[in-house]
Amino acid sequence: MSAFTFKEALRVFARAGRLQGTFGEPFYTNFNVVDQHPLLTRSGHRLLTLPVLPSFCNVNGVMHGGALASVLDCATTIAILEVDKKRRKTVSLEFNLSFPAAAKQGSNILILTEVLRVGRTSAFSQAEIFDEDGKTLCATGRHLKAFLQDPFELKEASNTLNK
């Protein structure tokens, strides 16, 4: 299988038919890849932006912790898909998350991902979520995912790379 860039992996995953109508769809379809930014300090770093939509927020006008967890899950999934040469499906084994600051409705957040290790049966990644200026850390977490034997089916989605 040929390798994906991070941008291609996101595009293919976001347009996969089975994603439509799922909980993750608004995250995947609203992510934007950032190629140059001061937060990108290592070659393995990947950076996304995401608008903090009202539907992601709690009654206090800040992003709900569950939505931040979903963002971290979705972003690290794409990062792992980019580096796994077999493009295997994954499931979460362990997930931890801290929320040092709030992400305000109407702002954009920055999601910095890094795949730390890809093994035979699992992958270990981390992400940090910053406010739009990149100075305030809103959430940070680590994500351990197990590989399933089946590859991520790209037949229906692979045609979208040319669109």
Side-chain angles (χ1 to χ4, degrees):
M1 289 186 194
S2 61
F4 274 144
T5 67
F6 187 67
K7 198 174 282 188
E8 289 168 337
L10 174 60
R11 226 165 89 198
V12 167
F13 199 87
R15 293 182 182 175
R18 77 175 77 94
L19 184 64
Q20 293 177 354
T22 67
F23 183 76
E25 183 181 20
F27 303 113
Y28 288 112
T29 57
N30 284 292
F31 280 147
N32 287 299
V33 177
V34 177
D35 293 320
Q36 293 184 2
H37 192 279
L39 289 173
L40 292 168
T41 60
R42 291 200 294 260
S43 64
H45 281 165
R46 300 294 180 257
L47 188 65
L48 298 164
T49 62
L50 180 74
V52 179
L53 303 175
S55 59
F56 301 162
C57 294
N58 61 26
V59 297
N60 299 316
V62 297
M63 198 159 181
H64 188 279
L68 283 165
S70 294
V71 166
L72 193 140
D73 183 350
C74 294
T76 56
T77 295
I78 295 300
I80 291 168
L81 181 60
E82 177 196 17
V83 300
D84 179 33
K85 292 177 181 25
K86 296 179 183 178
R87 294 189 189 149
R88 292 168 285 183
K89 293 178 185 176
T90 59
V91 293
S92 296
L93 288 176
E94 187 175 319
F95 194 78
N96 65 54
L97 193 57
S98 298
F99 308 100
K104 295 178 181 146
Q105 181 177 321
S107 67
N108 288 300
I109 54 173
L110 299 168
I111 306 101
L112 183 66
T113 67
E114 183 177 21
V115 178
L116 302 172
R117 183 179 179 281
V118 175
R120 189 175 50 81
T121 60
S122 63
F124 191 66
S125 60
Q126 65 183 13
E128 296 173 311
I129 301 173
F130 294 90
D131 66 354
E132 58 195 335
D133 67 7
K135 295 179 182 167
T136 303
L137 182 64
C138 299
T140 183
R142 291 179 162 238
H143 196 187
L144 175 62
K145 296 195 86 169
F147 289 118
L148 302 177
Q149 293 305 310
D150 297 330
F152 177 67
E153 188 56 53
L154 298 174
K155 285 180 194 170
E156 66 181 273
S158 62
N159 293 332
T160 65
L161 280 174
N162 299 321
K163 292 183 181 177

